[in-house]
Amino acid sequence: LLDKFAENLQNSPAGLQFQTAWLLTTLATGAAAAVVDTGCLPTLISMVMFADTEVAEQTLWAIGNIVGDGAVLRDVALNLDVLPTVVACITAPVTTTTLQRNAAWVLHNLVRWKPAVSGDVLYGIQPAVVHALSTSNDGIVLEDVCWCVNHLMDAGHELNERVGVFVENGVLPLLLDLLKHEDHKVVNPV
């Protein structure tokens, strides 16, 4: 049955794609591995960039639920090259607030698991972190990006290297500015 839903993601009208993505999002909340087993994750990733805006927002939410399940599925998504797609959602010149919020949440989910993500992921996330922290006024985006940075810094023996990457990219002054933010949900992870 799940395979039929996965088939509906491709070559269907936008309304059916949205409903299918919504269903897969819901199923991924408790059965993320079963959703991934349908083989639909590569399609979900590609649809973020090439689908109707509402479909893209919903597929990104589904991806967030999948990578939010744990390090194993996070690594599956990273191996399918999800990171450039998510970063592009945050750094794109024209985007929706919902798409940015969902992308920031996916980034947060990608980096919160142990073992910590590799240095390649750390470097790959930098454009999204810098862009969001320097341009976004949305508290939800800022909160998730700050948590992303917080989790990336929690890397034990690699701490000095990771701090250095953030210093090189100008992230620390942006974080210091956020200490004055009015929303404690943004300040807490800083």
Side-chain angles (χ1 to χ4, degrees):
L1 186 61
L2 278 177
D3 292 335
K4 278 289 189 203
F5 292 124
E7 287 175 25
N8 285 339
L9 285 174
Q10 298 177 343
N11 306 318
S12 296
L16 183 57
Q17 287 178 330
F18 176 82
Q19 292 300 323
T20 302
W22 178 82
L23 177 67
L24 292 171
T25 300
T26 303
L27 292 171
T29 301
V35 171
V36 171
D37 287 345
T38 67
C40 72
L41 187 53
T43 303
L44 287 168
I45 293 168
S46 69
M47 289 180 71
V48 171
M49 299 307 292
F50 301 109
D52 170 85
T53 301
E54 287 182 338
V55 174
E57 292 167 353
Q58 191 63 47
T59 56
L60 198 54
W61 190 357
I63 293 166
N65 280 355
I66 290 166
V67 301
D69 192 65
V72 171
L73 294 181
R74 169 204 66 191
D75 292 344
V76 169
L78 288 171
N79 288 333
L80 290 171
D81 217 17
V82 71
L83 189 58
T85 299
V86 178
V87 168
C89 290
I90 292 177
T91 60
V94 178
T95 187
T96 67
T97 300
T98 301
L99 198 64
Q100 281 196 328
R101 286 176 174 178
N102 289 358
W105 177 66
V106 172
L107 285 181
H108 178 185
N109 279 349
L110 281 170
V111 302
R112 70 185 181 136
W113 301 108
K114 300 287 183 209
V117 293
S118 71
D120 290 343
V121 174
L122 172 68
Y123 284 102
I125 284 176
Q126 291 300 305
V129 169
V130 171
H131 184 80
L133 293 179
S134 61
T135 65
S136 182
N137 294 320
D138 186 81
I140 295 170
V141 170
L142 293 172
E143 176 186 357
D144 276 322
V145 170
C146 288
W147 276 116
C148 179
V149 172
N150 183 300
H151 292 303
L152 286 167
M153 298 296 271
D154 185 20
H157 67 282
E158 298 175 352
L159 179 62
N160 288 339
E161 175 189 340
R162 289 174 180 253
V163 169
V165 171
F166 287 113
V167 169
E168 289 169 17
N169 288 288
V171 171
L172 292 184
L174 299 170
L175 291 173
L176 290 174
D177 284 345
L178 287 175
L179 287 173
K180 299 178 260 177
H181 198 277
E182 61 194 24
D183 187 346
H184 74 279
K185 292 179 183 178
V186 172
V187 175
N188 286 346
V190 175

